[in-house]
Amino acid sequence: MKKNGRRRTAKITPELASILEKQEQLFVERFGREMGPNDLIFFNLDPEEVKRQVIEAMEKTGIAPELIYAFRKTGRILRKKDRKSLTREELKEWDDAINEYFEIEKNVH
């Protein structure tokens, strides 16, 4: 994966490798061809259901409500060290969502 001209890599555990192989097999079965570079790996998941489950997990684990709100608005989970990998626009969108959360909270209380 390239971001800002740099290649980013991530270690793949045997468990993740198995999941990815199964997704590739499902893709071939469904579409009758090999997966290409622009195809979604998890093509068979409902994005709204995934988002709902992520929010539920965030709430259960006690993630700060402003971070959950920002995830709802942006679709991102952002760690401090991730800030440098975002574009200015993406970072502004995240920060605006956090600020919006606190504005709403201030007006409710």
Side-chain angles (χ1 to χ4, degrees), residues 26-71:
L26 288 171
F27 187 92
V28 171
E29 289 171 16
R30 179 152 183 205
F31 300 106
R33 64 176 177 81
E34 294 294 318
M35 191 179 283
N38 296 321
D39 292 318
L40 295 175
I41 294 170
F42 297 101
F43 65 91
N44 53 340
L45 299 178
D46 174 14
E48 288 305 311
E49 177 60 18
V50 171
K51 191 172 184 177
R52 187 194 65 72
Q53 289 180 13
V54 168
I55 291 168
E56 186 178 301
M58 292 171 89
E59 291 170 343
K60 283 182 181 176
T61 57
I63 299 291
E66 66 272 18
L67 300 179
I68 296 171
Y69 183 85
F71 171 73

